[in-house]
Amino acid sequence: MAKKIIIPGRLHAGTTEQIVTGSNEVFDDKRNKTQEAVNDELYETQEVANKAAAESKYYNELTQKAIEGMTVTEQEVLKYSQDVVKHGRAIEKIAEQLGSIYDNDGREEDDEYHGGIKLKPIEESEMDVILGAGTAADDTVYLVLEPETTDNT
C-alpha cells in the first residue's frame, strides 16, 4: 500500500467543478474495494429491490382483484384456510421449540398441504356422512361450505 500522507485540514478543490476526487480513487479498507465498486453494488441492489417492490405491488393487486371476484362463500373459505395456515405455523414453531421431531414432508403432487394439514372444502351432507361413519382423516381439516342462500326479495 502507498505511504500515508498526513493532511492537516480539509481538502479543497482548486477547479471550477469543485471535485476533489472520484469514487474510483477512494478505497474502502474494510471491504477491500474502491468506493466505485461499493457504489455499483449498492446501485445493483437498489435496482433489484425496486423491481421486486414493483412486482410485489402488481401481484398484490392481482390477488386483490381475484379475491374481489370470489363469491362470499369462497372468500370465507379462503379466510378460514388462511387462519388454519397461520395456526398451523404457530403449532410448528411450538413443536420446534419443544424439540419435537415433527415431520412435514408427506406432501404429494396435487395435494394442498398447509403446515402439514390438508384442507378439504365439502358440503354439509358429506360431513354428516364422514362423521356418521367415523372416517375423518387425521391430517385433514374439513371446511364445511354453507349452502348458498337465494334472496327472494
Side-chain angles (χ1 to χ4, degrees):
M1 179 158 203
K3 179 182 172 189
K4 293 183 180 180
I5 300 171
I6 307 286
I7 302 171
R10 291 180 83 163
L11 296 176
H12 177 70
T15 63
T16 57
E17 294 89 13
Q18 295 292 302
I19 298 172
V20 174
T21 189
S23 64
N24 63 332
E25 294 181 357
V26 176
F27 193 77
D28 187 324
D29 293 315
K30 184 176 180 182
R31 289 168 183 79
N32 200 28
K33 297 178 182 182
T34 65
Q35 185 63 47
E36 181 178 44
V38 172
N39 292 351
D40 288 344
E41 290 173 5
L42 288 173
Y43 178 78
E44 288 172 15
T45 300
Q46 185 62 47
E47 288 296 307
V48 169
N50 289 343
K51 184 177 178 184
E55 287 178 1
S56 176
K57 181 180 177 190
Y58 170 74
Y59 288 116
N60 284 338
E61 289 170 355
L62 283 181
T63 301
Q64 188 60 40
K65 286 179 185 176
I67 291 170
E68 290 168 1
M70 294 176 151
T71 65
V72 172
T73 302
E74 290 169 333
Q75 289 179 8
E76 287 178 7
V77 168
L78 176 62
K79 180 193 173 303
Y80 290 130
S81 63
Q82 289 171 333
D83 288 344
V84 168
V85 169
K86 182 175 82 172
H87 294 299
R89 288 184 183 139
I91 291 168
E92 286 178 351
K93 287 180 183 178
I94 291 168
E96 288 171 11
Q97 290 172 358
L98 295 173
S100 172
I101 55 169
Y102 182 76
D103 183 8
N104 192 24
D105 293 331
R107 300 178 186 205
E108 296 177 13
E109 190 172 317
D110 296 328
D111 283 348
E112 290 188 47
Y113 279 83
H114 300 278
I117 299 170
K118 186 161 86 173
L119 304 175
K120 184 173 183 180
I122 61 172
E123 300 293 329
E124 188 173 350
S125 58
E126 293 175 275
M127 190 71 229
D128 290 340
V129 171
I130 290 170
L131 292 174
T135 57
D138 290 340
D139 67 342
T140 303
V141 172
Y142 298 95
L143 302 170
V144 179
L145 304 172
E146 292 183 17
E148 289 192 30
T149 58
T150 55
D151 189 7
N152 294 330
T153 56

